[in-house]
């Protein structure tokens, strides 16, 4: 691996090559919108099966996009975009020539830090690193890397389903350089998304407001106040939400929601977030333990084909 030394810590190149780690719900979506915006994308995961799952998600979503954008040539449209995506389980190879790494693996600070610490040694010095974390401290993840890389490290938070949701939150840590922030803003716009920025605080903007609402909905069912079906109907028809909280919980993944709550529980000790918001919920833990993770596993609060 070439490890070039840069004279300034601020230099960044125009982003052409994107590497995405994690071929799950989010990583597949990010790889897809990257490829649709003309970037050369490498999608990496730990097993071939996970990569296959990712490519499946992408193919399904692309045929949905093609039906609208290119109804006369769905095949051509899809294969043209798929051409921009390569896959590999070799993490070192995946980053050796990359301009931007976006990590969308499991919501665990340890696993994320291990991955970035490894990648820091393998990627070009000017490569920007970004995490799609929902709730963890971007600064704590970035500290697994060298000081120079920390200037090129930020949070880049997409929303599920990535091809349809227009928002991206860009999170600057105190170490993130202005050039890095601007490069991420530019590539986000190229992906046809609307960026907002937020400090490196638990849950940033959307999840800080959304996750306590989702958790409170589960508590409501635990207390026996109403059924998931009625709560969903109420929030859809009474508050105009596109999906009620239980459809959304199943869509996001109950494991991911549970990791977010667990991570925040630790932060509640230091007062970063209020304790009441993240009190453990037996029903959530039970479903996760039973492998009922939501739509991606076929069952969560609801059942899926
Ligand atoms: N791939 C490509 N396009 C998709 C898609 C996919 N997987 N899913 C939806 N779309 C597109 C549709 O093609 C359609 O496009 P047009 O408007 O151009 O026709 C549009 O999105 C709306 O889709 P539909 O009409 O089929 O269905 P809908 O109106 O029921 O919308 C939805 C589907 C966009 C998912 C909507 O239900 C919704 O917004 N749900 C809430 C999603 C949400 O809140 N996401 C955030 C989760 S929290 C998070 O992500 C953060 C975290 O860290 C946990
Ligand atoms: P997912 O469970 O669908 O996929 C995670 C993928 O990461 C799996 O394919 C797994 O094999 C892979 N993985 C695990 N460890 C890895 C490693 N060391 N190297 C490479 N790949 C590895 O999860 P998801 O819903 O896509 O969430 C991914 C990240 O995005 C999490 O940090 C999550 O908090 C965040 N996020 C999720 C949502 C959502 O709605 N689900 C929205 C925004 C952000």
């Amino acid at each position: 691996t070439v490890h070039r030394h840069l004279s300034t810590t601020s230099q960044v190149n125009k982003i052409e090559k994107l590497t995405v780690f994690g071929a799950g719900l989010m990583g597949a979506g990010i790889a897809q919108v990257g490829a649709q915006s003309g970037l050369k994308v490498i999608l990496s995961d730990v097993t071939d099966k996970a990569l296959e799952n990712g490519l499946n998600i992408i193919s399904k979503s692309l045929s949905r996009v093609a039906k609208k954008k290119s109804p006369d040539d769905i095949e051509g449209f899809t294969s043209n975009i798929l051409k921009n995506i390569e896959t590999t389980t070799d993490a070192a190879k995946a980053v050796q020539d990359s301009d931007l790494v976006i990590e969308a693996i499991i919501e665990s600070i340890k696993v994320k830090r291990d991955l970035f610490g490894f990648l820091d040694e393998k990627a070009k010095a000017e490569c920007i690193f970004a995490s799609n974390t929902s709730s963890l401290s971007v600064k704590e993840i970035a500290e697994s890397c060298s000081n120079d890389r920390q200037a090129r490290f930020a949070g880049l938070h997409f929303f599920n389903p990535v091809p349809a949701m227009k928002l991206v939150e860009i999170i600057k840590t105190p170490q993130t350089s202005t050039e890095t922030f601007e490069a991420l803003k530019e590539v986000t716009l190229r992906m046809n998304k609307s960026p907002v920025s937020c400090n490196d605080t638990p849950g940033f903007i959307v999840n800080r407001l959304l996750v306590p609402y989702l958790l409170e909905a589960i508590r409501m069912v635990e207390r026996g106040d109403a059924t998931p079906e009625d709560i969903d109907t109420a929030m859809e028809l009474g508050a105009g939400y596109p999906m009620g909280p239980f459809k959304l919980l199943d869509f996001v993944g109950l494991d991911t929601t549970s990791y977010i709550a667990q991570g925040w529980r630790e932060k509640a000790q230091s007062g970063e977030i209020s304790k009441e918001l993240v009190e453990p919920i037996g029903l959530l833990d039970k479903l996760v333990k039973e492998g009922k993770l939501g739509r991606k596993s076929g069952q969560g609060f609801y059942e899926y084909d």
Side-chain angles (χ1 to χ4, degrees):
T1 310
V2 188
H3 215 101
R4 263 168 283 155
H5 185 74
L6 293 181
S7 51
T8 71
T9 55
S10 60
Q11 187 183 333
V12 293
N13 294 341
K14 182 163 160 90
I15 293 162
E16 307 285 357
K17 293 178 183 158
L18 165 67
T19 304
V20 179
F21 282 92
L25 291 175
M26 296 306 291
I30 295 166
Q32 178 187 332
V33 298
Q36 278 178 249
S37 69
L39 296 172
K40 290 285 167 212
V41 180
I42 298 182
L43 179 60
S44 188
D45 205 302
V46 282
T47 62
D48 287 326
K49 193 164 170 251
L51 288 173
E52 214 174 283
N53 175 48
L55 287 176
N56 247 329
I57 297 173
I58 295 173
S59 297
K60 275 193 203 138
S61 172
L62 274 179
S63 48
R64 207 166 157 170
V65 177
K67 267 183 210 146
K68 273 180 301 176
K69 289 203 171 167
S70 170
D72 300 331
D73 185 17
I74 291 180
E75 270 295 295
F77 178 93
T78 305
S79 64
N80 217 17
I81 289 164
L82 282 174
K83 254 190 252 155
N84 288 342
I85 305 178
E86 280 176 46
T87 58
T88 179
T89 53
D90 183 339
K93 211 175 104 199
V95 290
Q96 64 188 4
D97 201 26
S98 183
D99 302 317
L100 169 63
V101 167
I102 303 179
E103 166 274 314
I105 68 170
I106 186 170
E107 186 76 348
S108 149
I109 184 94
K110 181 178 183 312
V111 183
K112 286 187 195 291
R113 284 178 57 106
D114 284 352
L115 177 65
F116 277 118
F118 173 80
L119 297 179
D120 193 23
E121 303 281 312
K122 308 291 176 190
K124 294 186 292 191
E126 54 271 56
C127 179
I128 293 176
F129 283 9
S131 174
N132 182 55
T133 179
S134 297
S135 63
L136 299 168
S137 157
V138 177
K139 180 170 183 283
E140 274 177 46
I141 303 172
E143 280 166 355
S144 60
C145 297
S146 63
N147 287 339
D148 278 358
R149 187 78 66 188
Q150 285 180 46
R152 294 194 191 78
F153 202 119
L156 197 64
H157 188 218
F158 290 81
F159 293 82
N160 186 19
V162 180
M165 305 306 277
K166 295 281 282 181
L167 187 71
V168 175
E169 294 173 332
I170 308 181
I171 317 304
K172 258 173 95 162
T173 75
Q175 284 71 34
T176 309
S177 71
T178 307
E179 290 79 2
T180 298
F181 179 81
E182 290 302 326
L184 289 173
K185 197 168 156 189
E186 188 274 329
V187 79
T188 302
L189 292 170
R190 246 193 285 160
M191 290 175 176
N192 205 16
K193 302 289 182 203
S194 301
V196 293
S197 67
C198 181
N199 285 346
D200 188 20
T201 51
F204 318 126
I205 300 174
V206 171
N207 283 338
R208 184 65 175 260
L209 297 175
L210 183 64
V211 172
Y213 150 78
L214 295 175
L215 297 178
E216 192 54 26
I218 310 175
R219 291 192 189 102
M220 215 174 202
V221 169
E222 257 192 341
R223 290 195 298 263
D225 294 342
T227 62
E229 289 82 356
D230 281 352
I231 296 171
D232 277 354
T233 302
M235 292 313 290
E236 287 163 20
L237 303 185
Y241 285 28
M243 286 176 173
F246 293 94
K247 286 185 198 158
L248 190 54
L249 280 158
D250 276 358
F251 193 61
V252 164
L254 303 188
D255 50 345
T256 298
T257 308
S258 168
Y259 292 136
I260 295 173
Q262 271 170 42
W264 280 1
R265 220 162 283 145
E266 286 154 28
K267 295 204 180 325
Q269 308 301 328
S270 62
E272 267 186 90
I273 193 156
S274 100
K275 267 194 180 119
E276 297 72 39
L277 290 179
V278 288
E279 283 291 321
I281 306 176
L283 179 56
L284 178 63
D285 296 343
K286 176 176 171 285
L287 289 167
V288 172
K289 214 175 270 167
E290 290 169 359
K292 295 174 182 160
L293 307 181
R295 203 185 276 205
K296 67 183 169 188
S297 74
Q299 195 178 346
F301 286 98
Y302 296 103
E303 280 185 40
Y304 304 86
D305 307 325

